[in-house]
Amino acid sequence: VASGMVPIAHASDGGGSIRGPSSLCGVFGFKPSRWRIRSAGLPKDMPLAAILSDHCISRSVRDSATWLRVTEVEDWARALPSAEELSEHPPKKLRIGYYHIDTFGNPPDEAVQDALQRTIELCRALGHAVFPVAAPDFDGLKASHAVYDVMAATTAGMASFFALGVAPDVIATGLEPYTLALIEHARDLPPARIAEAVAEIAFAGETAQAALNGVDVLLCPTIPFTAFPLGTVSPDCPPETIRRHFERSAAFTATASLAGWPAMSVPLHRSVQGLPAGSHFAARPGDDALLFRLAFQLERAAPW
């Protein structure tokens, strides 16, 4: 999508897998409200389903909005207006609260902090009230461990299913080390752990809702760094290195997944080196249209 080979591509997001890559590549990435999109993946009763959203990565706000309009569930309370209507009716003055400290208490890299400041200035120039707020307050480390445990159990379950139809050594020799580490971790979990982890994920999402008190939209960095050299993180890295990379990559974006918020990475700025740095906006569940109206306004004011 970023190279222009295709204008749009399906993607899914369970912690930032649409928004993070969009930030690194300078494209538009939107995660819809929880349960708004017809699922192409896990059934609702699967442990990870509540934090997963199918949608797309696109070059334009128009294409992303249209994708949501044609893929949202038919019984959603208010159907998304057309891209034309969303574009022609920008949001009224919004209360935008911004923060720059991630779930683990860390600031972003300098280039990302600079991009956030420029986005703050742009939003103020568009007439919105933009002011600092506290970051969502929940136990990020506990939530991260819970997601890791549920992901491990889900991966182990899928591997067991596929093992029924392949040669005995395919699972052991054909999967990447990190995938095998997930499967091994799942084997060590006590039987009651998954229900406990699901409850911890739900509690983190409920606790995060308080961050939206007094604001219409939350603004923060999408990902705390810009793109890194290929090979910096690879399947050959120790599993713990990959896990820590995942945690840092999703340190801003995961909150919206846990809370069920619609959220988007908007490619408004680039670093001095020319690398993209997305700005992350989130809103209350169901306020997808509000975010799209803001995205169209931003796209018009600072086209990418």
Side-chain angles (χ1 to χ4, degrees), residues 7-24:
I8 193 167
H10 169 259
S12 63
D13 189 315
S17 296
I18 287 175
R19 293 160 287 153
S22 294
S23 177
L24 295 176

Side-chain angles (χ1 to χ4, degrees), residues 91-95 126-130 216:
K92 297 178 181 179
K93 182 178 179 179
L94 296 174
R95 297 166 300 168
L126 291 171
H128 302 300
V130 189
D216 302 305

Side-chain angles (χ1 to χ4, degrees), residues 85-211:
E85 198 278 338
L86 293 167
S87 176
E88 291 169 4
H89 296 86
K92 297 178 181 179
K93 182 178 179 179
L94 296 174
R95 297 166 300 168
I96 301 177
Y98 70 87
Y99 62 94
H100 70 281
I101 300 299
D102 70 25
T103 301
F104 304 105
N106 302 311
D109 291 353
E110 183 178 356
V112 175
Q113 181 65 48
D114 290 344
L116 177 65
Q117 185 58 43
R118 283 185 281 163
T119 297
I120 292 168
E121 294 167 1
L122 173 61
C123 289
R124 285 176 175 157
L126 291 171
H128 302 300
V130 189
F131 47 88
V133 295
D137 185 16
F138 61 93
D139 191 332
L141 193 59
K142 189 173 184 179
S144 176
H145 288 165
V147 170
Y148 183 76
D149 288 348
V150 173
M151 187 167 65
T154 302
T155 303
M158 289 191 292
S160 295
F161 174 78
F162 288 121
L164 298 174
V166 298
D169 64 338
V170 167
I171 297 299
T173 61
L175 298 180
E176 293 178 349
Y178 184 71
T179 307
L180 293 173
L182 282 172
I183 296 170
E184 189 62 32
H185 179 72
R187 291 179 181 144
D188 295 334
L189 294 175
R193 174 53 188 160
I194 299 307
E196 182 182 72
V198 169
E200 290 172 359
I201 292 169
F203 181 75
E206 292 165 5
T207 305
Q209 303 294 344

Side-chain angles (χ1 to χ4, degrees), residues 238-261:
E240 189 61 23
T241 299
I242 298 176
R243 179 180 173 183
R244 296 303 176 203
H245 174 74
F246 284 161
E247 284 186 341
R248 185 165 186 244
S249 298
F252 286 105
T253 55
T255 303
S257 297
L258 297 172
W261 299 336

